[in-house]
Amino acid sequence: MKAVDQFQIRNWQPSDRTPVTNLIRSVLAEYHLDFEPAAADCDVVEVEKYYLTTGGEFWVIQQDDQLVGTGGYYPVMRGEKAVEIRKMYLLPHVRGLGLGKYLLQQLEQAIAARGFMQIWVETASVLTTAVKLYEHNGYQPASGVETARCDRVYVKQLTNYALDYSY
């Protein structure tokens, strides 16, 4: 059994709004970053508006009945046929199991299957594990950070994207 097999990735539901908000607020606080419901985190407060009605997806990750992570993407007007991956957060006790890499790969597969050509992601340098994850998975540094809390932006081209992964 692979470590990731103990987790379930499922679509966000309205009943997840408060638990998701609390999870993201908790992870941000670990890194001394503020939860910004009227700015950088407005998409979590209004998942329907930012993800579900725009052609994106927002997922939650569960272990047994506990919410342990989140991740999503939605189309953006950057580049050609582009999306931005957002809100990839995992609670501390599930980090280091390969779940972040697995989640990223699942998001990439879903994005590619919908015909998108580019993936953008913004992050903060203090999120060192996230920075390493993106850099080790083909994301190239770019310019044009749009989120005040972030100081890094990356892009990945999906042309000739291989959907075959070995875990």
Side-chain angles (χ1 to χ4, degrees):
M1 179 172 178
K2 297 175 275 190
V4 296
D5 289 342
Q6 62 185 299
F7 300 98
Q8 175 195 11
I9 298 174
R10 65 169 175 78
N11 290 323
W12 178 91
Q13 302 167 3
S15 60
D16 295 320
R17 192 177 324 273
T18 298
V20 162
T21 300
N22 292 340
L23 182 145
I24 292 171
R25 184 186 314 270
S26 161
V27 172
L28 289 170
E30 274 183 75
Y31 295 94
H32 309 288
L33 298 170
D34 292 328
F35 182 78
E36 302 171 354
D41 301 306
C42 63
D43 58 322
V44 173
V45 177
E46 298 183 76
V47 170
E48 298 90 341
K49 175 182 175 181
Y50 287 92
Y51 296 89
L52 307 185
T53 63
T54 64
E57 294 185 86
F58 194 86
W59 298 342
V60 296
I61 299 95
Q62 284 184 239
Q63 184 179 36
D64 301 318
D65 289 331
Q66 183 188 11
L67 186 70
V68 297
T70 62
Y73 68 90
Y74 56 67
V76 293
M77 299 304 289
R78 265 180 165 163
E80 183 183 343
K81 294 184 81 177
V83 299
E84 182 175 344
I85 287 180
R86 297 194 38 95
K87 305 303 182 223
M88 271 192 59
Y89 293 108
L90 297 173
L91 290 177
H93 72 278
V94 298
R95 295 180 198 148
L97 303 173
L99 183 58
K101 181 177 180 180
Y102 179 74
L103 175 60
L104 181 61
Q105 291 171 342
Q106 295 303 302
L107 286 165
E108 289 175 351
Q109 287 180 358
I111 290 164
R114 289 187 171 197
F116 292 103
M117 309 273 301
Q118 288 182 330
I119 301 174
W120 291 81
V121 63
E122 292 188 14
T123 192
S125 294
V126 296
L127 301 171
T128 55
T129 304
V131 169
K132 287 179 191 171
L133 176 68
Y134 299 128
E135 290 179 350
H136 288 118
N137 284 280
Y139 288 78
Q140 300 301 312
S143 60
V145 172
E146 297 175 347
T147 306
R149 175 172 71 208
C150 298
D151 62 356
R152 291 179 180 242
V153 62
Y154 294 92
V155 63
K156 183 172 185 174
Q157 303 297 327
L158 294 182
T159 310
N160 300 319
Y161 184 70
L163 293 176
D164 202 16
Y165 290 105
S166 51
Y167 297 102

